[in-house]
Amino acid sequence: MEKIDLSQLDYDEIKDISKKQMEDVFDKKQAARPILNEINERGDKALIKYTKKFDGVELESDNIKVSDKRIKNSYENLSEREIQALEQARDNIIDYHETQLPKKIELDEFEEGITLGSLFNPLEKIGAYVPGGKASYPSSALMTLLPAYVAGVNEKIICTPPSKDGRINDMTLAAADIAGADKVFRVGGVQAIGAMAYGTKTIDKVQKIVGPGNSYVTAAKMLVRGKVEIEFPAGPSELVILADSSCDPGYVASDLLAQAEHGPDSLVILLTTSSEVLDSVKEEIKERTNSLNRSEIIKNSLKRAKLVLGEQEELINLLNDVAPEHLELMIQNPMSILNEIKNAGAIFVGNFSPTAVGDYATGCNHVLPTGGMAKIHSGLNVYDFMKRSSLQFLSKKGLRNLREITEIISEIEGLEAHSNSIKERFKEE
Amino acid sequence: MEKIDLSQLDYDEIKDISKKQMEDVFDKKQAARPILNEINERGDKALIKYTKKFDGVELESDNIKVSDKRIKNSYENLSEREIQALEQARDNIIDYHETQLPKKIELDEFEEGITLGSLFNPLEKIGAYVPGGKASYPSSALMTLLPAYVAGVNEKIICTPPSKDGRINDMTLAAADIAGADKVFRVGGVQAIGAMAYGTKTIDKVQKIVGPGNSYVTAAKMLVRGKVEIEFPAGPSELVILADSSCDPGYVASDLLAQAEHGPDSLVILLTTSSEVLDSVKEEIKERTNSLNRSEIIKNSLKRAKLVLGEQEELINLLNDVAPEHLELMIQNPMSILNEIKNAGAIFVGNFSPTAVGDYATGCNHVLPTGGMAKIHSGLNVYDFMKRSSLQFLSKKGLRNLREITEIISEIEGLEAHSNSIKERFKEE
């Protein structure tokens, strides 16, 4: 943990910290490209080859897809309360995302005879990448598939890597089923992205690939863009907390530790106006770290942590420059500064809104832009799985009102037949 | 013009026709890559080199930017009615796009103490590519910049290639000014995309590049994705008209001709249930083509035109597979089939809604997905220039209601510190 007094430090030294987190992804493109090419050319055969190479699992072409029976069986290894928690999380995710759903058809009459609007349709087929291997990420299955479900996407598939014994974790399988996955495939890594982008005999080509993965997976997603769409490239997880003397340093410390346990490359930053808070948080973190299961990961992550002291205004500027994935506001009257927040994936307001509750339970999405991408991108949402057609419906009177503008600009652009297509409608006049 | 009876033809032969239009773009990536790299490394010097090479214009680093005085002077070569037409088009574009603008802050209480919502912010800096050279595309300046203006984007720049004499067309400059461009740069092609993506001494790096260009420009936009965002890669323009016996074949022919005059690679398709309509449209097109200014372009484009006869249901399936940039519905009760339209950039409903009026005057955007990309992408809109942060504000009571779900899923995922960050808030209980 580096303690920084902003008044004694070059602001620029810290503002690009999140952007640097993405460099690792750019480095992986070289390694990902030949694997993608081989999947494109050899399909399932290449999938099987790379699953053996990277996951140590021998697949056959008829067991790349997880069987319906296996998915059904997965529930047997979950407790009743685990199943209920996943189902409640699902319901909350659906409730929240339904507020984002546009009306299928929107039409307004702008002037007499000029009715304009939108037609919204879902994408047809999407694929979600869910990390796997030793760990289990049922929440990723929920967060990626359910916005697509709310949008009305017809076919939703999941690719997730098997563990060494060739199995997919029961929790992940049950969550995939609870989230409404149509098919689950036992493949991960670059090869899974290639399969969903190009299609193989077993895995259909999808229109959009979403979901978190390691830097190889993300590099692969970036490379297949154009063939398919992706939501955004995401790197290691990040949390910035803005806290003043009104905060509880124990809450701040526990949230920073939760963030740090994601992985050794997680980024945690405390911005505070109070040197007492800074010192207490530092103390609390030190006291708690060793007793945690993932203390080694946490210690590695904390090496790059920043605890920054400054004036509130400059701290707000700094957080906007960092554009963190997660932002917690533990200050007095946090609502009063929302208008000053320009860039953040998800904003957690007040002392009782820890990031963890948003990761799993509120219903908001946890697939969020990292690496400064919150300056440009939104977190995963229903619009990611829909597209909008404009609707333009004019009467003869409406067209007459727009006749002159259209003809003049057609002439400016030298497009005579454009102008004629308007004149044609009035040739008897 | 190829006349096709769907009953006698393999459906698949035509359904991928729009996708093939994009192949040209993929081919241009090889040529674009080294130019982009050179812009990245050498900045303005490389810009000047390639502007000389491709546009035949010798720039100096101090005149890459078009001067304010030159922009002001551009109006002198426009007539009063031309200026008015551009201003009215601007007003209509603003009116329509304002209907897409979300509320800055949206909050709903989902359960007692669980208040969730969104914070919308505009992007900071965007760049628009406006084609130039011999022709003049003032409408492109309006269509690319005004949605960004409505979104609230702070800095909006335009790059547009100079003609051989080094000048930018007066109409384009006036439109850029009317659309609120902060700066206009006299550079085009791959080099302009590189400049906006990487930044040079003269041209600031932007967050997103939008706007139509030739296949080299589009290939360059695809290559810089990840460094900056783009709206979508767009290829040659397309129109599909669905017409039945209720249509006026003269209207249909005039709209197909307008589409065909965009360029020799424009794609025009008539889908009709009436062989009389098909024959009349064919006849009308033949009669009118030779007298048009751009008849050579039109004839080239029409070589690949398709006039397709079939049942309405299969024609609707076909248009959804083609996913055209523009779709006109000249059938009885066109509103009744809107629910069956899945994929189209812009939909023009009825006999008095020619594509040309949407190109310039209704206020809807004419930057639309082509090449089958309407299956995945929306036309340019206000959301392209905004991003959404989720807002999560819980009271202690609210958090208590979500405590169990969060703790259970944290445990499933093996993230103890996540669970602890919730427990921390209730440790006195």
Side-chain angles (χ1 to χ4, degrees):
Chain A
M1 281 178 286
E2 190 186 358
K3 182 172 158 180
I4 296 169
D5 186 335
L6 257 193
S7 62
Q8 292 161 31
L9 186 99
D10 184 6
Y11 180 96
D12 290 345
E13 211 170 298
I14 188 167
K15 85 175 173 57
D16 288 329
I17 191 168
S18 60
K19 207 155 56 180
K20 288 188 189 120
Q21 298 271 99
M22 289 299 289
E23 281 169 9
D24 199 31
V25 171
F26 288 102
D27 289 347
K28 298 302 190 305
K29 284 190 180 177
Q30 294 282 26
R33 194 170 275 121
I35 301 172
L36 291 173
N37 289 343
E38 206 174 324
I39 298 286
N40 190 16
E41 284 157 23
R42 299 180 59 238
D44 283 348
K45 279 184 188 148
L47 261 188
I48 291 168
K49 169 184 160 185
Y50 285 109
T51 303
K52 186 173 175 195
K53 183 171 178 184
F54 295 127
D55 302 304
V57 173
E58 299 249 17
L59 294 176
E60 316 254 337
S61 54
D62 63 353
N63 68 8
I64 295 174
K65 179 174 171 295
V66 178
S67 71
D68 293 347
K69 195 178 150 207
R70 169 70 188 102
I71 291 175
K72 219 168 186 181
N73 287 346
S74 68
Y75 287 93
E76 287 168 19
N77 294 315
L78 270 69
S79 69
E80 198 53 45
R81 63 193 281 272
E82 285 171 336
I83 294 171
Q84 270 178 17
L86 292 174
E87 287 176 346
Q88 283 166 7
R90 173 197 60 198
D91 294 345
N92 290 353
I93 294 168
I94 291 174
D95 284 352
Y96 177 71
H97 286 79
E98 277 180 346
T99 66
Q100 297 169 354
L101 190 65
K103 272 173 60 182
K104 170 90 180 165
I105 295 177
E106 284 171 3
L107 281 171
D108 275 310
E109 194 170 38
F110 280 69
E111 278 181 56
E112 196 187 335
I114 303 175
T115 301
L116 308 174
S118 303
L119 171 71
F120 284 94
N121 273 300
L123 304 194
E124 188 71 19
K125 283 182 190 181
I126 66 99
Y129 187 88
V130 175
K134 273 186 293 180
S136 146
Y137 298 102
S139 63
S140 293
L142 301 178
M143 289 293 181
T144 49
L145 256 55
L146 290 170
Y149 163 79
V150 170
V153 174
N154 189 43
E155 194 176 341
K156 303 175 287 296
I157 66 168
I158 283 181
C159 284
T160 187
S163 58
K164 285 235 162 75
D165 61 3
R167 289 169 65 88
I168 303 296
N169 182 286
D170 290 304
M171 305 290 177
T172 302
L173 280 183
D177 192 52
I178 287 169
D182 296 295
K183 294 174 187 167
V184 180
F185 298 98
R186 293 198 289 170
V187 289
V190 173
Q191 58 274 23
I193 302 302
M196 292 191 278
Y198 304 115
T200 71
K201 199 178 163 209
T202 308
I203 303 181
D204 274 353
K205 178 181 179 354
V206 301
Q207 294 174 323
K208 191 163 189 169
I209 301 172
V210 301
N214 63 24
S215 52
Y216 290 97
V217 169
T218 304
K221 282 170 69 182
M222 292 180 78
L223 288 169
V224 297
R225 266 185 121 168
K227 286 286 173 199
V228 291
E229 200 36 66
I230 67 168
E231 80 284 44
F232 44 73
S237 195
E238 306 153 358
L239 170 63
V240 169
I241 298 182
L242 178 68
D244 65 14
S245 56
S246 72
C247 79
D248 181 322
Y251 297 1
V252 173
S254 70
D255 293 358
L256 293 172
L257 285 167
Q259 186 61 31
E261 81 174 331
H262 274 292
D265 50 5
S266 297
L267 180 66
V268 303
I269 299 175
L270 170 65
L271 307 178
T272 181
T273 50
S274 158
S275 63
E276 291 76 25
V277 166
L278 193 150
D279 292 336
S280 309
V281 169
K282 197 169 178 179
E283 204 52 44
E284 293 278 355
I285 289 177
K286 275 189 185 155
E287 270 174 31
R288 297 172 189 207
T289 301
N290 282 325
S291 65
L292 291 166
N293 294 336
R294 293 167 74 94
S295 59
E296 286 312 307
I297 289 171
I298 293 171
K299 281 180 196 162
N300 270 313
S301 163
L302 289 177
K303 279 179 196 156
R304 290 173 308 111
K306 310 283 176 198
L307 308 178
V308 183
L309 187 68
E311 298 298 318
Q312 183 163 302
E313 201 183 315
E314 64 183 346
L315 294 176
I316 291 173
N317 287 339
L318 183 57
L319 77 84
N320 280 324
D321 279 331
V322 172
E325 182 189 21
H326 304 100
L327 171 66
E328 293 187 5
L329 303 176
M330 293 201 240
I331 58 171
Q332 280 201 308
N333 299 320
M335 282 293 187
S336 69
I337 67 152
L338 286 188
N339 273 315
E340 295 168 59
I341 308 298
K342 306 290 178 213
N343 308 313
I347 303 169
F348 297 86
V349 183
N351 291 322
F352 293 96
S353 310
T355 298
V357 76
D359 285 342
Y360 299 128
T362 59
C364 291
N365 210 290
H366 79 197
V367 180
L368 297 167
T370 66
M373 299 252 178
K375 291 178 186 174
I376 309 179
H377 290 283
S378 310
L380 197 66
N381 62 80
V382 170
Y383 279 93
D384 277 310
F385 300 102
M386 303 195 85
K387 73 268 177 172
R388 191 186 149 285
S389 306
S390 67
L391 283 175
Q392 311 186 42
F393 180 30
L394 283 72
S395 69
K396 192 166 185 179
K397 182 167 182 187
L399 184 61
R400 186 179 287 117
N401 280 335
L402 295 178
R403 183 179 174 174
E404 198 182 352
I405 306 178
T406 310
E407 290 180 14
I408 292 171
I409 307 182
S410 297
E411 283 156 25
I412 290 176
E413 299 198 350
L415 298 175
E416 181 194 16
H418 276 61
S419 181
N420 285 355
S421 74
I422 310 298
K423 289 191 177 85
E424 173 76 16
R425 266 87 175 173
F426 299 98
K427 68 180 173 190
E428 291 100 24
E429 293 188 1
Chain B
M1 283 178 284
E2 191 186 358
K3 183 174 160 180
I4 296 170
D5 187 336
L6 258 193
S7 61
Q8 292 163 28
L9 187 100
D10 184 5
Y11 181 95
D12 290 345
E13 209 170 297
I14 188 166
K15 85 173 173 58
D16 288 329
I17 190 167
S18 60
K19 207 155 58 179
K20 289 190 190 121
Q21 298 271 98
M22 289 299 290
E23 282 168 9
D24 198 33
V25 170
F26 287 102
D27 290 347
K28 298 303 191 303
K29 284 190 180 177
Q30 294 282 27
R33 194 170 274 123
I35 301 172
L36 291 173
N37 289 342
E38 205 174 325
I39 299 285
N40 190 17
E41 284 158 22
R42 298 180 57 239
D44 284 347
K45 278 184 188 145
L47 260 188
I48 290 168
K49 169 183 159 184
Y50 285 108
T51 303
K52 186 171 175 196
K53 183 170 176 184
F54 295 126
D55 303 302
V57 174
E58 298 248 16
L59 294 176
E60 316 254 333
S61 54
D62 63 354
N63 67 9
I64 294 174
K65 179 175 172 295
V66 177
S67 71
D68 294 348
K69 194 177 152 209
R70 169 71 188 101
I71 291 175
K72 220 171 187 177
N73 287 346
S74 68
Y75 287 91
E76 288 167 19
N77 293 315
L78 271 69
S79 68
E80 197 54 44
R81 63 193 281 273
E82 285 171 336
I83 294 171
Q84 270 179 15
L86 293 174
E87 287 176 345
Q88 283 166 6
R90 173 197 60 198
D91 295 345
N92 291 353
I93 294 167
I94 291 174
D95 283 351
Y96 177 71
H97 287 79
E98 277 180 346
T99 65
Q100 298 169 352
L101 190 65
K103 271 172 62 181
K104 170 91 181 164
I105 295 177
E106 285 171 1
L107 282 171
D108 276 310
E109 194 170 39
F110 281 68
E111 278 181 56
E112 197 186 334
I114 303 175
T115 302
L116 308 174
S118 304
L119 172 70
F120 284 94
N121 273 299
L123 305 194
E124 187 73 18
K125 281 182 192 181
I126 66 99
Y129 187 87
V130 175
K134 272 186 293 180
S136 147
Y137 298 101
S139 63
S140 293
L142 301 178
M143 290 291 182
T144 49
L145 256 54
L146 291 171
Y149 163 80
V150 170
V153 174
N154 189 44
E155 194 174 341
K156 302 174 287 297
I157 66 168
I158 282 180
C159 284
T160 187
S163 57
K164 286 235 162 75
D165 61 4
R167 287 168 67 87
I168 303 297
N169 181 286
D170 290 304
M171 306 290 178
T172 302
L173 280 183
D177 193 52
I178 287 169
D182 296 295
K183 292 173 187 169
V184 179
F185 298 98
R186 293 199 288 172
V187 289
V190 173
Q191 59 272 23
I193 301 302
M196 292 192 278
Y198 303 116
T200 71
K201 200 178 162 209
T202 307
I203 302 181
D204 275 352
K205 179 181 179 352
V206 301
Q207 295 173 323
K208 190 163 191 168
I209 301 172
V210 300
N214 63 24
S215 52
Y216 291 96
V217 169
T218 304
K221 282 170 68 182
M222 292 181 77
L223 288 169
V224 297
R225 265 184 123 168
K227 286 287 173 196
V228 291
E229 200 36 64
I230 68 169
E231 81 284 44
F232 45 72
S237 195
E238 306 153 358
L239 169 64
V240 168
I241 298 182
L242 178 67
D244 64 15
S245 58
S246 73
C247 80
D248 181 322
Y251 298 1
V252 174
S254 70
D255 293 358
L256 292 173
L257 286 167
Q259 186 62 30
E261 80 175 331
H262 274 294
D265 49 6
S266 297
L267 180 66
V268 303
I269 299 175
L270 169 65
L271 307 178
T272 182
T273 49
S274 156
S275 63
E276 291 75 26
V277 165
L278 193 150
D279 291 336
S280 308
V281 169
K282 197 171 177 179
E283 204 50 46
E284 292 278 355
I285 288 177
K286 275 190 184 156
E287 270 175 32
R288 297 173 190 206
T289 302
N290 282 324
S291 66
L292 290 166
N293 294 335
R294 293 166 74 93
S295 60
E296 286 312 307
I297 289 170
I298 293 170
K299 281 179 197 164
N300 270 314
S301 162
L302 290 177
K303 279 180 196 155
R304 290 174 309 112
K306 309 282 177 202
L307 309 178
V308 183
L309 187 68
E311 297 298 317
Q312 183 164 302
E313 202 184 313
E314 63 182 345
L315 294 176
I316 291 174
N317 287 339
L318 182 58
L319 77 85
N320 280 324
D321 279 332
V322 172
E325 181 189 22
H326 305 99
L327 172 66
E328 294 186 5
L329 303 176
M330 293 201 240
I331 58 172
Q332 280 200 307
N333 300 321
M335 283 293 186
S336 70
I337 68 153
L338 286 188
N339 273 315
E340 295 168 58
I341 309 296
K342 306 289 178 211
N343 308 312
I347 303 169
F348 297 86
V349 183
N351 292 322
F352 293 96
S353 310
T355 299
V357 76
D359 284 342
Y360 299 128
T362 59
C364 291
N365 210 289
H366 78 198
V367 180
L368 296 167
T370 65
M373 299 253 177
K375 291 178 186 174
I376 310 180
H377 289 283
S378 311
L380 197 66
N381 62 79
V382 170
Y383 279 92
D384 278 310
F385 301 102
M386 303 194 86
K387 73 268 177 171
R388 191 186 148 285
S389 307
S390 67
L391 283 174
Q392 311 186 43
F393 179 30
L394 283 73
S395 69
K396 193 167 185 178
K397 181 166 183 190
L399 184 62
R400 186 179 288 116
N401 280 336
L402 296 178
R403 184 178 172 175
E404 199 182 352
I405 306 178
T406 310
E407 290 179 15
I408 292 171
I409 306 183
S410 298
E411 284 155 25
I412 290 175
E413 299 198 349
L415 298 175
E416 180 192 20
H418 276 61
S419 182
N420 286 353
S421 73
I422 310 296
K423 291 189 175 85
E424 173 77 16
R425 267 84 175 176
F426 300 100
K427 68 182 174 188
E428 292 99 22
E429 293 187 2

